[in-house]
Amino acid sequence: MIRTHLTSVRRGFVLAALALVSWLDLLLELVGFCLLCVGLVFAYTLALEGTRPRAALTRRLSGRWCGIEVEPPYRPAPPEPERERDGWYREGNSLFKRSWFIRWTKRFEWISDDPATGRDLGWQLWNPLAGLLLVPAVLVAGPRALRLYGKWTRWWLGPRPARDRDGWVKSRLKALGFQLGLFALSAAQLGMAFPTLFALIWPSPLFPTMVVAGRTVTDTLRREAKNWTGVRIDRPYLPEPPFPVPRADGMYQHGRQLYDTPWWPARLARFRWAISDRATWRDLAAAVVNSVVLLLMVVPTAALVFFGFWGVLALWAWRPIGQWTGTSWSTTNWFSMVGLPEATTHGQALALTPVAVAAFVAGLIATPWLARQGARFAKLLLGPTEASRLAQRVERLKQTRTDASVAQAAELRRIERDLHDGVQSRLVALGMKLGAVEALIDSDPAAAKRLAAELRQTSSETLTELRLLVRGIHPPVLSERGLGDAVRAMALDSPMRASVNGVLPRLEQPAEACAYFAVSELLGNAAKHGEARRVSIELGYEDGLLRIEVTDDGKGGANAARGSGIRGIERRLGAFDGTFALTSPPGGPTKATVEIPCQLDPDASSPRTSTSSETA
């Protein structure tokens, strides 16, 4: 018994010492965040990844010494970028010669979007205090104190079941965190603005690189504003210039100047692209303005919440400890700093507790509204203007015109090949058999009847093949019933268990056909490559925008760079100025979002709608 107690005490001291290291990890992450604010994104990622081994060690010791097994809660790491056939690495619509930029961008998004990262930060902040309390507790309670510490560790570092809704306090604390996160990203954007301006004051080829790096931080702010507050901020940037193409004489031209190599034309084109894009200057202005405004919006709520929380802690934690140890704790003067009397007795503490709780609640009440307003204010400078929208549309139409022509030509070749190899050959065979029937009908009627039966079977097969071909060009159900019912019919034929939700009016027929074949390709990929068993399709139309979300429970890992099907969807959507977004982490789920600007069908006599939901 004594030996077990001594072993528990020794283990408790080791866990307490390991807990104190958490503050050093927190300091390392703070340094990494400061480096993030000046553009070194990989430093913050390295800091977060470098602290996870200490958390993993605590999990192992918790299972070995405390008897509480703690499973790792982290999302799977993103796969390494894969080089395409032409030797380039693809990220969205951008190509890179080397993979390090894509790799660090993906790892930053992976580790910053993981909810377990936020729990690790909270554990690093509070775990040293728990470790200090563990020392006297293990001296008194022994193994029971260790088991309690193991449960504490599992609550912080273990996986948590997903909840449909958060409580009132938790949802508003998350909104306060969103406010702080938006301000932190604005501060990081401001940190990127200084080296960008310095590269402009001293003109160098580094300026476009700094602009692209700053846009990475700004795009993170746009993405998180949508995830946190629901405020969508579109990218306002013009497309990057294409790589220079040599002339017939092998020279490269930029303006009126000719060059032997593409290095200078490419650099000059990128410099002109970065400096002439108005969104570059609006980003620099937003870095200053948003940082100030978001700071002014978050300071009152954060001050009230911190005052209320620390006030309760000072009244009922530090004050009794100070009285018990006979020491003077400065936190007992916490309320005197704002003109309230000091709390030296339990009665005075009980009287001041409602004040602290009221400050805490008052600070939390407005946090969701303030978070949304902060994102909307950031949208004023970070979102596209009408001029930038028009410029983007013109550039996008220039890019997609060629893709649309190539896709149309490929579709015509497919139809021609199917007709030539399938229906045409069968019709030729029918003509030959008809000639044989004509020759045998007088001399051998029995053989003529057998050939006539074969002709009837062949004609039936030809008709079936022709119907399939017509269906591949434009399904009849799409013309007769609209996109909603066409997708439901497609879901019924799918080998997966598919559910279709949403109501759609009759839309323009080209847009309906584009969306139909995009959904068909996504369902085929989910069944063939994703090995999915269930798929959910959400349909919606609002303010001239058709939106379709396809989510499956497959193994994930879908990548546009590795398959021609997703490329085909992007080319098809490009002709309609549509967008395609794919989220497919390893292990799943895979979520694809298709958005197509379109109008209602003016020729529809009565807009038919489908049932709101159906499971196939």
Side-chain angles (χ1 to χ4, degrees):
M1 184 70 180
I2 297 177
R3 184 176 180 180
T4 302
H5 190 85
L6 292 176
T7 302
S8 300
V9 170
R10 185 174 66 254
R11 292 175 175 176
F13 273 86
V14 173
L15 290 173
L18 184 61
L20 293 177
V21 182
S22 299
W23 276 342
L24 297 179
D25 290 339
L26 201 62
L27 180 61
L28 177 64
E29 290 161 347
L30 181 61
V31 173
F33 178 76
C34 293
L35 294 177
L36 168 67
C37 294
V38 297
L40 300 179
V41 178
F42 66 90
Y44 185 61
T45 305
L46 286 175
L48 291 176
E49 290 191 58
T51 58
R52 286 190 171 183
R54 256 78 67 193
L57 178 59
T58 304
R59 291 190 192 92
R60 291 197 300 270
L61 295 180
S62 175
R64 189 183 306 169
W65 291 352
C66 306
I68 302 295
E69 296 293 335
V70 184
E71 296 292 333
Y74 306 119
R75 292 177 178 175
E80 290 293 321
E82 294 189 7
R83 190 190 300 270
E84 296 191 350
R85 296 178 180 177
D86 55 2
W88 291 83
Y89 294 92
R90 183 174 187 266
E91 174 63 16
N93 293 327
S94 300
L95 296 176
F96 298 88
K97 195 64 177 178
R98 295 176 178 85
S99 62
W100 65 269
F101 180 80
I102 301 177
R103 181 188 301 111
W104 285 110
T105 301
K106 290 292 185 183
R107 294 194 73 84
F108 174 76
E109 295 176 357
W110 158 65
I111 202 166
S112 59
D113 292 344
D114 194 344
T117 300
R119 297 204 300 270
D120 281 357
L121 294 175
W123 174 77
Q124 292 163 5
L125 178 63
W126 297 109
N127 188 52
L129 300 178
L132 294 177
L133 295 176
L134 177 63
V135 173
V138 78
L139 290 173
V140 176
R144 286 180 294 179
L146 283 179
R147 188 166 184 82
L148 184 62
Y149 181 79
K151 293 180 179 180
W152 155 272
T153 303
R154 183 175 60 184
W155 186 80
W156 273 107
L157 300 182
R160 296 184 183 179
R163 295 183 177 180
D164 295 337
R165 294 185 60 184
D166 295 326
W168 188 90
V169 175
K170 185 176 180 180
S171 62
R172 278 154 179 78
L173 283 175
K174 289 173 64 175
L176 178 59
F178 297 158
Q179 282 189 269
L180 293 171
L182 290 176
F183 167 70
L185 290 173
S186 298
Q189 186 188 9
L190 181 62
M192 288 295 301
F194 290 109
T196 303
L197 289 174
F198 180 77
L200 179 62
I201 294 173
W202 188 269
S204 67
L206 189 63
F207 178 71
T209 303
M210 296 304 302
V211 169
V212 172
R215 289 180 178 181
T216 302
V217 179
T218 308
D219 287 339
T220 302
L221 192 153
R222 293 189 181 96
R223 184 182 67 253
E224 299 306 335
K226 175 65 169 62
N227 296 334
W228 293 342
T229 65
V231 177
R232 176 174 175 174
I233 306 177
D234 295 325
R235 298 181 86 246
Y237 309 120
L238 295 177
E240 295 188 21
F243 196 76
V245 178
R247 302 181 347 145
D249 56 2
M251 302 291 287
Y252 295 87
Q253 181 179 359
H254 181 77
R256 297 183 179 180
Q257 187 68 33
L258 295 178
Y259 299 89
D260 294 331
T261 64
W263 192 87
W264 271 109
R267 295 297 184 273
L268 293 174
R270 283 180 60 83
F271 187 86
R272 182 179 179 181
W273 159 74
I275 202 171
S276 62
D277 193 349
R278 295 182 180 180
T280 300
W281 309 107
R282 297 175 71 237
D283 282 355
L284 295 176
V288 178
V289 176
N290 289 343
S291 299
V292 175
V293 173
L294 292 176
L295 178 63
L296 294 178
M297 294 179 72
V298 76
V299 162
T301 54
L304 286 172
V305 171
F306 180 75
F307 175 83
F309 175 78
W310 199 259
V312 173
L313 197 64
L315 290 173
W316 300 107
W318 303 129
R319 182 187 59 81
I321 294 177
Q323 292 177 351
W324 179 56
T325 58
T327 58
S328 176
W329 291 78
S330 59
T331 50
T332 58
N333 300 326
W334 184 251
F335 291 91
S336 62
M337 293 189 303
V338 293
L340 296 174
E342 298 182 12
T344 57
T345 63
H346 291 298
Q348 292 173 338
L350 190 62
L352 288 177
T353 298
V355 177
V357 174
F360 183 80
V361 173
L364 291 180
I365 287 177
T367 50
W369 181 82
L370 288 174
R372 287 193 297 271
Q373 296 306 314
R376 288 171 181 170
F377 183 84
K379 183 179 181 180
L380 296 178
L381 287 175
L382 297 180
T385 62
E386 289 300 324
S388 64
R389 288 182 188 274
L390 180 60
Q392 277 186 318
R393 187 174 181 84
V394 171
E395 292 294 330
R396 183 174 178 84
L397 288 176
K398 288 180 180 179
Q399 291 182 350
T400 57
R401 180 176 56 188
T402 303
D403 291 340
S405 301
V406 172
Q408 183 180 15
E411 188 70 11
L412 289 176
R413 286 194 301 269
R414 182 189 67 84
I415 296 173
E416 180 185 6
R417 184 174 60 252
D418 291 344
L419 287 174
H420 181 273
D421 298 340
V423 177
Q424 180 177 336
S425 62
R426 289 182 180 274
L427 290 177
V428 171
L430 282 174
M432 295 176 63
K433 289 183 178 180
L434 282 174
V437 170
E438 185 179 2
L440 294 173
I441 194 168
D442 294 327
S443 61
D444 193 351
K449 289 182 179 180
R450 289 195 298 271
L451 283 176
E454 293 179 4
L455 283 173
R456 185 171 60 252
Q457 179 66 25
T458 303
S459 64
S460 177
E461 294 175 355
T462 304
L463 182 60
T464 301
E465 185 175 347
L466 189 59
R467 286 174 177 172
L468 292 176
L469 180 61
V470 171
R471 183 179 179 182
I473 299 174
H474 191 85
V477 66
L478 193 60
S479 301
E480 298 171 0
R481 299 292 301 170
L483 180 60
D485 285 338
V487 171
R488 286 181 170 84
M490 187 196 311
L492 289 172
D493 294 335
S494 173
M496 301 172 291
R497 183 170 179 81
S499 62
V500 183
N501 303 292
V503 177
L504 288 180
R506 292 302 302 270
L507 305 174
E508 296 174 328
Q509 292 187 7
E512 285 189 337
C514 175
Y516 177 86
F517 288 110
V519 174
S520 176
E521 182 67 30
L522 291 173
L523 290 181
N525 289 342
K528 182 179 179 181
H529 304 293
E531 302 177 2
R533 292 177 295 178
R534 290 178 176 271
V535 64
S536 172
I537 305 173
E538 300 289 337
L539 308 175
Y541 178 80
E542 185 178 2
D543 297 332
L545 184 66
L546 171 64
R547 180 182 176 88
I548 302 176
E549 292 184 358
V550 181
T551 306
D552 65 71
D553 62 351
K555 62 181 181 180
N559 189 349
R562 296 200 301 264
S564 59
I566 298 179
R567 289 286 191 86
I569 294 176
E570 292 176 342
R571 287 194 297 266
R572 191 185 293 271
L573 292 176
F576 295 86
D577 202 16
T579 59
F580 178 75
L582 180 66
T583 303
S584 183
T590 297
K591 179 179 179 181
T593 303
V594 175
E595 293 183 347
I596 304 176
C598 58
Q599 301 298 324
L600 299 177
D601 187 3
D603 298 331
S605 58
S606 61
R608 303 172 183 173
T609 58
S610 306
T611 54
S612 60
S613 64
E614 181 179 340
T615 300

